[in-house]
Amino acid sequence: DSGVTQTPKHLITATGQRVTLRCSPRSGDLSVYWYQQSLDQGLQFLIQYYNGEERAKGNILERFSAQQFPDLHSELNLSSLELGDSALYFCASSASGQEYNEQFFGPGTRLTVL
Amino acid sequence: KNEVEQSPQNLTAQEGEFITINCSYSVGISALHWLQQHPGGGIVSLFMLSSGKKKHGRLIATINIQEKHSSLHITASHPRDSAVYICAVRAAGNKLTFGGGTRVLVKP
């Protein structure tokens, strides 16, 4: 158990809908990262937050947004969902935003868009 | 060409065999991660290294910064080692870029 929790574990929804994925980092970790793992693209970095502020941005679509709250949990919002958004979404946390900090991964949320 | 290339893509071994997975990257990095993903989907961080060699149990990871190459070795492989092993590099901005993964199957 990495100490990172994600909810829900599974999510099934329809095209055009909006969903929110939630991540609670390990106790004391200030940085949260979001990743998408799809069958055709593999694992991709989406976005990183550090202590409430956006720190780095990867291949995140404009239909997606994220935030980190004062209690350090983070939410990833996916809107106008398309079939291709079906994927495993992982969040990871690290002690700080620094490069030498190891990242600990949550169990993932499996999103299926029908 | 992908920034991070892993080989082989698939590997089948008999229990007890020595396994090597390779990772080559084309960008300057600050660290390299080896991750393990089990069939259930969960990801576990095995190693984070920026130079030399690290060992944990039957797993050994090495990195050669000059050659932009890393290897993950599994000694005395066991069926419970069956998983996908993913190499990821940390470049500027603390972003992780992932290799395509190596699917390992260890047969009893």
Side-chain angles (χ1 to χ4, degrees):
Chain A
D1 183 1
S2 67
V4 179
T5 60
Q6 289 186 248
T7 57
K9 197 169 181 176
H10 300 278
L11 197 47
I12 301 174
T13 189
T15 53
Q17 295 298 304
R18 173 190 168 96
V19 297
T20 297
L21 313 184
R22 183 188 168 108
C23 169
S24 292
R26 289 189 325 153
S27 177
D29 282 359
L30 298 177
S31 203
V32 170
Y33 308 78
W34 285 98
Y35 298 96
Q36 179 195 56
Q37 185 178 37
S38 60
L39 280 175
D40 55 343
Q41 300 271 15
L43 265 166
Q44 290 192 96
F45 166 72
L46 294 178
I47 197 164
Q48 177 200 357
Y49 278 83
Y50 172 72
N51 206 20
E53 301 287 327
E54 183 184 302
R55 173 65 69 91
K57 214 167 188 175
N59 302 323
I60 188 165
L61 299 173
E62 284 192 13
R63 299 183 286 108
F64 297 180
S65 65
Q67 53 185 325
Q68 187 180 26
F69 295 86
D71 67 353
L72 300 176
H73 91 270
S74 178
E75 293 181 356
L76 179 67
N77 301 295
L78 315 175
S79 61
S80 303
L81 284 168
E82 301 175 0
L83 295 177
D85 298 328
S86 296
L88 260 172
Y89 292 84
F90 289 98
C91 102
S93 74
S94 68
S96 76
Q98 298 305 313
E99 296 173 344
Y100 48 80
N101 284 146
E102 187 172 0
Q103 294 184 22
F104 296 87
F105 285 78
T109 292
R110 185 175 296 277
L111 173 66
T112 302
V113 182
L114 302 175
Chain B
K1 183 170 164 53
N2 292 333
E3 289 183 347
V4 183
E5 298 275 358
Q6 282 185 242
S7 63
Q9 283 187 302
N10 295 282
L11 187 158
T12 300
Q14 287 297 130
E15 184 173 355
E17 286 184 345
F18 182 84
I19 290 171
T20 295
I21 302 167
N22 296 299
C23 175
S24 297
Y25 52 93
S26 58
V27 297
I29 67 169
S30 58
L32 183 143
H33 296 250
W34 281 103
L35 310 171
Q36 180 192 55
Q37 186 170 29
H38 277 283
I43 293 177
V44 174
S45 178
L46 297 175
F47 295 102
M48 182 179 73
L49 61 165
S50 55
S51 65
K53 177 178 173 177
K54 284 192 177 180
K55 184 176 191 291
H56 182 69
R58 294 179 295 104
L59 301 178
I60 304 167
T62 63
I63 188 168
N64 185 318
I65 296 291
Q66 287 73 29
E67 294 187 4
K68 292 187 167 58
H69 181 269
S70 176
S71 293
L72 176 69
H73 306 286
I74 307 175
T75 63
S77 60
H78 190 277
R80 64 174 174 267
D81 298 325
S82 298
V84 176
Y85 293 83
I86 303 169
C87 165
V89 299
R90 185 178 293 183
N94 207 26
K95 295 162 49 175
L96 277 182
T97 303
F98 298 86
T102 296
R103 188 174 298 275
V104 171
L105 174 63
V106 181
K107 294 183 175 180

